[in-house]
Amino acid sequence: MTRTARSRALGSRPARSRTARQHAVGLAALLLLVAAAPASASATPSPASSPARHLEGTLPSGAAYMIDTPDHWNGTVLLFSHGYRPEGSPNPAVNAPDEPTKQLLLKEGYALVGSSYATTGWSVEQAVPDQLAALDAFTKEVGAARRTLAWGQSLGGLITTTIAERYPGRIDGSLSMCGLVHGGVANWNSTLDATFALRTLLAPGAGDADVRLTGFKDAADAAASAKRLGETLGTAQNSADGRARIALAAALHAIPGWNDPRTPRPAPDDYPAQQANQYTAVRGLVAQPGFAWRAEAERRAGGNMSWNTGVDYSAMLARSSQYKEVKALYKSAGLSLRDDLRALARAPRVSAEPRAVRYMADHAAPSGRLDKPQLTIHTTGDALVPVRTESAYRQAVAEAGRSPLLRQAYTENAGHCTFSPGEQLAAVHTIDHRLTSGSWGDTSPSALNSRAQQADPTTEARYTTFRPGPYPRPFRGQGLFG
């Protein structure tokens, strides 16, 4: 491993007198005698004795890593896993979700570490060992931590959960923020639900020759399909029929009617405004995750990892929190919702390739088998990783008999991972408290908001009482694909 460090420059040293040299020799001999004595727990240096440092380096995989330590380290290191980076994009190491949060954590005495992962894209397989190697680098460069917390956002929330479940001996607790905790199998199935509905309803009669949904030949093939469906989507938004059908596709992906914090929140019954917000999110899904990002993930997995054989879209819509909106928009357009749901039921379905599903299940499908405490937090208005993903993980943890180890909390805000620094510190403090006290204590929204305000009174505290609906699809792949 290589590293660079910013530190204070050493000034010139004055010549030492003979007496000073004798004192130095004596001190060296004394230190040798102390080093030769048997070690004891009380003789272990305190982590707080380490000075503030910024270290960067390269792991054996080629991934970069970054370490920051505060002036007075409290003995806890936070291992941060960053989110998805599209293939070919810059890939620097990071060790915190944003700079304001990073500075607050350092001020409180936390040490920070994180890697870039060796590759961009759907890199869960590579990210987990790289993150563990970054922890090894921290121990080598700084020293052993008294407590290690894994945390991450978006894809990094899935990476964090994978570390928590598969390598519990390396950490003491974990925090997933806006994470894909339903796993890779469910993530790509949910994306397929939306694109399948869009192609079937907006371009009836179109097939893989016109708009390919899975099994892309290459990146150019995915881009061409995204372009054609995107053009169809834009035309559809100009008609009442098209807007109703876009809302139906959005509901199947659980895209909320308020998903951009830069826009006003629509009234509960302002369905046209909600649909306009969903249209923007659906357009983004088609432009990137539904095609370009899927194509990259398929190359890793060795084929298509998604299926909708046997899926009942009528039942899925009936369980959706957007059901009333869809019904109202169809009624306003004079369009038959029943006929469109029948069209979805009759349309040729997509089958998955077993080896690709196995890849996702092996590398990116949480089991719920936690051995250490985990807190998850999610915004209620997330369009990219809809909040109902938390229901999938809650179910998995319950089935594994580990529910006492999991707590979930929600912030009332639109957007993906749009947490304030105070909200993020409140989450860190909550999992830290659980480890220190041995009990979760008060994890109510008011308690979390109080912690957020104490940590940073200059930013928002929006934790709220919320429970997402049930996850509508199987979220683990073994034996479930058609």
Side-chain angles (χ1 to χ4, degrees):
M1 300 180 187
T2 62
R3 69 177 177 88
T4 60
R6 295 200 297 266
S7 60
R8 295 179 180 177
L10 295 175
S12 59
R13 299 177 179 174
R16 293 188 296 174
S17 67
R18 180 177 180 182
T19 300
R21 286 195 298 270
Q22 289 172 337
H23 281 304
V25 171
L27 179 59
L30 177 60
L31 290 174
L32 286 173
L33 289 173
V34 171
S40 65
S42 60
T44 302
S46 167
S49 63
S50 299
R53 286 191 289 173
H54 175 83
L55 306 171
E56 297 180 9
T58 304
L59 300 172
S61 67
Y65 71 85
M66 176 187 292
I67 295 169
D68 281 286
T69 62
D71 287 325
H72 300 286
W73 183 26
N74 62 18
T76 296
V77 60
L78 303 179
L79 173 67
F80 180 71
S81 297
H82 67 72
Y84 183 89
R85 291 173 178 171
E87 189 176 29
S89 61
N91 194 30
V94 293
N95 57 14
D98 55 73
E99 190 62 25
T101 301
K102 176 176 181 174
Q103 293 306 318
L104 287 169
L105 289 168
L106 289 171
K107 185 178 180 181
E108 291 192 356
Y110 290 99
L112 312 174
V113 61
S115 78
S116 64
Y117 322 148
T119 65
T120 53
W122 188 265
S123 55
V124 179
E125 179 185 6
Q126 294 75 25
V128 171
D130 282 340
Q131 288 293 84
L132 297 177
L135 270 183
D136 292 336
F138 181 89
T139 301
K140 180 179 179 181
E141 301 282 4
V142 179
R146 286 196 289 254
R147 178 175 293 168
T148 299
L149 300 180
W151 67 320
Q153 63 179 11
S154 196
L155 182 65
L158 173 58
I159 292 164
T160 294
T161 300
T162 303
I163 292 172
E165 291 186 352
R166 301 185 184 187
Y167 300 93
R170 298 299 306 273
I171 65 170
D172 298 288
S174 56
L175 166 62
S176 170
M177 304 186 295
C178 50
L180 287 87
V181 289
H182 55 333
V185 174
N187 176 73
W188 296 113
N189 274 345
S190 183
T191 304
L192 174 63
D193 290 335
T195 57
F196 176 81
L198 291 171
R199 186 181 75 175
T200 301
L201 300 177
L202 301 184
D208 283 350
D210 305 293
V211 177
R212 190 186 302 275
L213 301 180
T214 65
F216 301 109
K217 299 173 184 178
D218 50 34
D221 185 27
S225 291
K227 183 175 184 294
R228 286 191 286 268
L229 188 57
E231 290 170 348
T232 301
L233 182 66
T235 300
Q237 183 65 12
N238 294 323
S239 70
D241 288 7
R243 289 191 291 272
R245 287 166 170 154
I246 292 168
L248 170 56
L252 296 179
H253 193 59
I255 294 174
W258 184 47
N259 53 67
D260 185 342
R262 297 168 298 183
T263 63
R265 183 171 188 169
D269 59 351
D270 188 351
Y271 299 131
Q274 293 176 33
Q275 192 279 336
N277 291 337
Q278 290 169 324
Y279 165 68
T280 301
V282 170
R283 189 176 60 190
L285 182 144
V286 169
Q288 291 184 313
F291 293 89
W293 296 3
R294 173 186 285 280
E296 188 273 332
E298 286 186 350
R299 289 197 299 275
R300 287 179 185 272
N304 170 38
M305 56 282 183
S306 302
W307 72 93
N308 64 354
T309 49
V311 173
D312 185 341
Y313 285 117
S314 294
M316 186 183 294
L317 177 64
R319 294 191 297 268
S320 168
S321 59
Q322 286 83 37
Y323 183 43
K324 289 183 179 179
E325 174 206 348
V326 174
K327 284 183 63 178
L329 291 173
Y330 266 80
K331 182 178 180 180
S332 177
L335 194 62
S336 171
L337 176 58
R338 179 176 296 180
D339 286 350
D340 274 1
L341 289 172
R342 285 174 177 167
L344 289 177
R346 291 192 304 265
R349 297 303 178 96
V350 177
S351 296
E353 295 178 56
R355 64 173 180 172
V357 178
R358 282 194 291 270
Y359 177 90
M360 284 292 161
D362 288 345
H363 296 291
S367 66
R369 292 189 290 271
L370 290 169
D371 283 335
K372 303 288 178 64
Q374 180 174 94
L375 173 67
T376 71
I377 63 173
H378 218 113
T379 57
T380 58
D382 193 335
L384 185 61
V385 183
V387 67
R388 71 180 182 183
T389 61
E390 299 292 344
S391 295
Y393 195 58
R394 183 177 68 245
Q395 179 182 338
V397 172
E399 290 174 356
R402 311 295 173 88
S403 294
L405 291 173
L406 178 69
R407 287 292 183 277
Q408 295 180 307
Y410 304 92
T411 62
E412 188 69 27
N413 193 32
H416 181 53
C417 303
T418 53
F419 304 109
S420 71
E423 289 166 346
Q424 292 176 103
L425 262 74
V428 171
H429 292 165
T430 297
I431 189 69
D432 213 350
H433 170 81
R434 169 62 178 80
L435 296 173
T436 299
S437 68
S439 114
W440 284 105
D442 188 355
T443 58
S444 66
S446 59
L448 288 165
N449 285 329
S450 177
R451 283 178 173 159
Q453 286 292 296
Q454 290 175 11
D456 183 16
T458 68
T459 59
E460 293 178 287
R462 297 160 295 189
Y463 283 99
T464 188
T465 301
F466 183 82
R467 188 176 179 89
Y471 197 76
R473 282 271 242 140
F475 49 90
R476 291 187 288 268
Q478 300 91 328
L480 298 176
F481 48 88

